[in-house]
């Protein structure tokens, strides 16, 4: 052991070490994840502090078989093993918890030998203690910067401008033109190929500062982002719309962007001009079969295992996201068919699983789907593609009722009530100093009639508190006269 970190390359290697019964700490990381890099510093220090334990580092996406075995769905991720069993896990960048959990699993292993200071509850070696404190500050600082970014530094702005100006047409994307890492990036690459323009690209997955900072710089929250002569054009949807309307071609001409001669493009095969779907090496029958599988459902997930029994953490994560979004989807277990498993990688030009398709178009893997869900992009595209059912009246009423803790459905507005009963309730709430939201039921006949049935209350106004119906004008007046209105609306 000797107090060092070992990079493992196979599940057999991990199984052998864990099976020995010795304390083993596994660090699952990814090269693009800044938090993984931070935590790896502490991981290395702890390996020195606990020489009797094995410290193994696993690149999660490069070693899917190991990641599946330990249900890894996000990085950084740690598994703590002893006596051949996994005793504990840790997900996320938490230096103190990592130190404590390592100490718990990898304390004294020999009878009569004093426990390491770290086994007392916190890694007490001075170097480790200092590292924990520094990393905690560093990670907290990173979180704070990502949550409240009031502005960009001068050097970072200069870097962005230099990148944007490095090519007349510049695409910031996930992956490279030869190997896009998301369906939206692939679409823009294909558009640029059809437009026959040369373009430069930058893989934002390779640089977290650029990835986060460019969102602020461009005031655009997602990727890809396309620029022409330093001018921001937009993301995937806008670029496609401009392409289809002919506006993109006009922009390129107006800015003097040279197009590539089609014949020359065929001869040169210049990858910078975009890529087309490669089915090289696939038989016609397999290509046809894969196309049929992808289009067998509006939302199709190729995964390891089944939705009710995923066989890897990344597949489980995408299933959970689709279930949270109330999406009806079909799936295919690629572990049951090696021909499909290997063939789809070539067909989609996407090397890992899961793979999510919407209306026949590849969206991406677990990290992309998760990011799209967080940004609201996933729900947007599901609606645009018609794969989410239209919002029901009941759903809409529930959203309106919960839109404010105190919610008043009335005739008119608080500033201009359109009936005496609504006016009385507004006066009562304002007199008591109660903040409230309101909805003018005269502006929407569907809501006006629907809310009567929903609440089983035939008249207006209707006052709600925390989604519960309080009542109409008479009840509100009674509560006010009894001195109970404000307390009822603040329980």
């Amino acid at each position: 052991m000797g107090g060092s970190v070992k990079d493992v390359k196979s599940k057999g290697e991990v199984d052998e070490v864990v099976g020995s019964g010795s304390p083993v700490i596994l660090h699952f990381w990814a090269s693009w994840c800044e938090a993984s890099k931070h935590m790896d510093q502490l991981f290395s220090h702890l390996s020195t502090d606990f020489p009797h334990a094995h410290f193994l580092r696993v690149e999660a996406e490069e070693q899917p078989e190991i990641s599946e075995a330990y249900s890894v769905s996000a990085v950084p991720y740690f598994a703590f093993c002893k006596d051949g069993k996994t005793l504990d896990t840790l997900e996320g960048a938490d230096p103190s918890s990592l130190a404590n959990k390592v100490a718990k699993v990898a304390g004294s292993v020999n009878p009569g030998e004093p426990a390491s200071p770290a086994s007392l509850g916190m890694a007490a070696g001075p170097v480790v203690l200092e590292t924990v404190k520094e990393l905690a500050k560093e990670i907290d600082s990173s979180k704070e910067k990502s949550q409240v970014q009031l502005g960009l530094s001068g050097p970072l702005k200069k870097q962005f401008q230099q990148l944007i100006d490095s090519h007349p047409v510049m695409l910031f994307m996930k992956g490279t033109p030869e190997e896009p890492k998301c369906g939206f990036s692939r679409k823009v690459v294909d558009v640029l190929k059809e437009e026959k323009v040369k373009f430069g690209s930058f893989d934002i997955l390779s640089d977290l500062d650029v990835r986060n900072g460019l969102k602020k710089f461009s005031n655009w929250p997602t990727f890809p982002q396309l620029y022409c002569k330093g001018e921001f054009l937009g993301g995937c949807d806008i670029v496609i719309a401009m392409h289809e309307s002919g506006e993109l071609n006009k922009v390129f001409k107006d800015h003097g962007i040279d197009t590539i001669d089609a014949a020359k493009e065929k001869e040169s095969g210049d990858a910078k001009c975009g890529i087309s779907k490669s089915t090289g090496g696939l038989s016609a029958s397999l290509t046809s079969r894969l196309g049929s599988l992808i289009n067998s459902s509006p939302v199709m997930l190729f995964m390891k295992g089944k939705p009710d029994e995923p066989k890897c953490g990344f597949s489980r994560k995408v299933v959970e996201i689709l279930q949270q979004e109330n999406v009806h989807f079909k799936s295919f277990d690629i572990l049951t068919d090696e021909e499909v498993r290997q063939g789809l990688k070539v067909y989609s030009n996407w090397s890992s699983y899961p793979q999510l398709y919407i209306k026949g178009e590849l969206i991406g893997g677990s990290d992309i789907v998760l990011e799209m869900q967080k940004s609201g992009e996933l729900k947007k595209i599901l609606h645009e593609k018609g794969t989410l059912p239209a919002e029901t009246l009941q759903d809409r009423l529930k959203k309106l009722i919960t839109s404010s803790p105190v919610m008043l459905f009335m005739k008119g507005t608080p500033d201009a009530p359109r009936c005496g009963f609504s006016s009385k309730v507004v006066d009562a709430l304002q007199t008591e100093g109660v903040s409230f939201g309101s909805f003018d039921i005269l502006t929407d006949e569907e809501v006006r009639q629907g809310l009567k049935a929903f609440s089983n209350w035939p008249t207006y106004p209707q006052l709600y508190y925390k989604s519960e119906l309080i009542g109409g004008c008479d009840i509100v007046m009674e509560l006010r006269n009894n001195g109970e209105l404000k307390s009822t609306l603040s329980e």
Side-chain angles (χ1 to χ4, degrees):
M1 286 175 251
S4 63
V5 176
K6 182 179 180 182
D7 289 296
V8 293
K9 301 298 182 183
S10 71
K11 185 173 181 296
E13 195 176 350
V14 173
D15 291 344
E16 183 180 351
V17 178
V18 172
S20 70
S22 300
V24 181
I25 298 90
L26 294 158
H27 175 201
F28 293 86
W29 70 288
S31 57
W32 48 263
C33 179
E34 200 66 26
S36 289
K37 296 174 186 176
H38 287 312
M39 293 299 286
D40 196 53
Q41 295 176 41
L42 176 58
F43 191 67
S44 296
H45 283 300
L46 288 167
S47 72
T48 303
D49 207 38
F50 292 90
H52 295 297
H54 293 272
F55 287 76
L56 306 182
R57 186 163 46 211
V58 183
E59 191 163 2
E61 292 174 337
E62 296 297 319
Q63 302 294 332
E65 190 179 6
I66 307 174
S67 297
E68 289 167 25
Y70 288 86
S71 300
V72 179
S73 60
V75 290
Y77 184 93
F78 300 88
F80 306 86
C81 307
K82 194 173 184 179
D83 300 326
K85 299 176 182 178
T86 302
L87 303 180
D88 202 356
T89 60
L90 173 65
E91 183 175 288
D94 188 338
S96 296
S97 292
L98 176 60
N100 283 322
K101 288 176 183 287
V102 168
K104 187 176 178 181
V105 171
S108 176
V109 291
N110 297 321
E113 181 180 300
S116 164
S119 65
L120 301 176
M122 168 55 76
V127 175
V128 172
L129 275 176
E130 192 61 35
T131 302
V132 170
K133 290 176 183 176
E134 286 178 4
L135 286 178
K137 287 179 183 176
E138 208 169 321
I139 291 168
D140 286 343
S141 174
S142 297
K143 287 179 181 176
E144 186 177 330
K145 285 178 184 176
S146 65
Q147 290 168 356
V148 185
Q149 190 174 24
L150 299 178
L152 298 170
S153 66
L156 202 53
K157 283 183 179 179
K158 186 177 179 180
Q159 181 190 357
F160 291 153
Q161 197 61 56
Q162 287 174 342
L163 281 171
I164 289 167
D165 294 338
S166 63
H167 291 81
V169 179
M170 185 66 185
L171 177 64
F172 292 86
M173 62 181 291
K174 293 179 179 177
T176 64
E178 299 88 343
E179 193 175 350
K181 293 289 187 180
C182 83
F184 300 106
S185 292
R186 176 180 286 103
K187 286 180 183 179
V188 175
V189 166
D190 288 343
V191 164
L192 294 174
K193 177 187 176 182
E194 290 182 34
E195 293 284 348
K196 296 181 174 61
V197 294
K198 289 184 177 181
F199 64 96
S201 69
F202 185 92
D203 180 5
I204 53 92
L205 298 178
S206 68
D207 192 314
L208 192 64
D209 285 338
V210 173
R211 182 177 184 173
N212 291 328
L214 194 62
K215 295 178 182 179
K216 181 74 176 177
F217 185 87
S218 63
N219 195 28
W220 193 264
T222 58
F223 291 97
Q225 295 183 14
L226 182 66
Y227 290 79
C228 178
K229 290 288 183 79
E231 178 186 341
F232 178 55
L233 298 184
C236 181
D237 290 345
I238 291 175
V239 171
I240 289 175
M242 291 176 68
H243 170 63
E244 291 175 348
S245 69
E247 187 181 353
L248 187 59
N249 184 263
K250 185 176 183 299
V251 168
F252 289 149
K253 285 182 178 178
D254 289 346
H255 284 81
I257 304 299
D258 293 328
T259 59
I260 303 166
D261 179 76
K264 186 178 177 182
E265 181 187 7
K266 286 180 182 177
E267 290 174 5
S268 66
D270 189 351
K272 288 186 179 179
C273 299
I275 61 170
S276 58
K277 182 179 288 183
S278 170
T279 55
L282 298 182
S283 66
S285 60
L286 179 55
T287 300
S288 175
R289 184 185 174 208
L290 293 173
S292 297
L293 282 171
I294 289 169
N295 290 286
S296 62
S297 173
V299 181
M300 187 68 188
L301 177 64
F302 291 84
M303 62 180 289
K304 295 180 179 178
K306 300 176 181 178
D308 54 354
E309 194 177 348
K311 292 295 179 68
C312 83
F314 299 109
S315 292
R316 179 183 296 107
K317 181 70 72 176
V318 176
V319 167
E320 288 173 354
I321 288 171
L322 293 174
Q323 290 173 341
Q324 289 165 10
E325 297 291 344
N326 296 315
V327 180
H328 174 71
F329 67 98
K330 288 185 179 179
S331 67
F332 185 92
D333 181 1
I334 52 93
L335 298 178
T336 65
D337 193 315
E338 191 64 18
E339 185 182 50
V340 171
R341 180 177 186 172
Q342 300 304 329
L344 192 61
K345 294 178 183 179
V346 178
Y347 184 93
S348 64
N349 194 27
W350 194 270
S351 60
S352 60
Y353 291 98
Q355 293 183 18
L356 179 66
Y357 293 78
I358 298 178
K359 288 292 182 75
E361 295 182 2
L362 176 65
I363 300 302
S366 62
D367 58 337
I368 290 168
V369 174
L370 178 60
E371 185 173 323
M372 287 176 64
Q373 186 199 34
K374 289 179 178 177
S375 69
E377 205 173 339
L378 182 61
K379 187 180 289 291
K380 179 184 175 186
I381 192 171
L382 287 166
H383 274 300
E384 288 175 350
K385 297 286 187 181
T387 54
L388 275 181
E391 186 178 49
T392 65
L393 176 58
Q394 188 173 50
D395 290 336
R396 187 177 173 218
L397 293 174
K398 286 180 181 177
K399 283 184 181 178
L400 284 170
I401 289 169
T402 58
S403 62
S404 177
V406 181
M407 188 66 188
L408 177 64
F409 291 84
M410 61 181 290
K411 294 180 180 179
T413 64
D415 295 332
R418 299 288 294 275
C419 81
F421 300 110
S422 293
S423 181
K424 285 184 179 181
V425 173
V426 168
D427 287 342
L429 293 172
Q430 290 177 339
T431 300
E432 294 292 333
V434 176
S435 297
F436 63 97
S438 68
F439 185 90
D440 180 1
I441 52 93
L442 298 177
T443 64
D444 193 315
E445 190 63 20
E446 185 181 51
V447 171
R448 180 178 185 174
Q449 300 304 329
L451 191 61
K452 292 178 183 179
F454 183 87
S455 63
N456 196 26
W457 193 270
T459 60
Y460 291 98
Q462 293 182 19
L463 183 66
Y464 290 79
Y465 176 60
K466 291 186 176 179
S467 304
E468 297 290 333
L469 176 66
I470 301 299
C473 181
D474 290 345
I475 291 176
V476 172
M477 291 303 103
E478 184 177 341
L479 287 170
R480 187 193 66 172
N481 294 336
N482 292 338
E484 299 174 1
L485 181 59
K486 190 165 187 177
S487 60
T488 298
L489 301 179
S490 59
E491 290 176 351

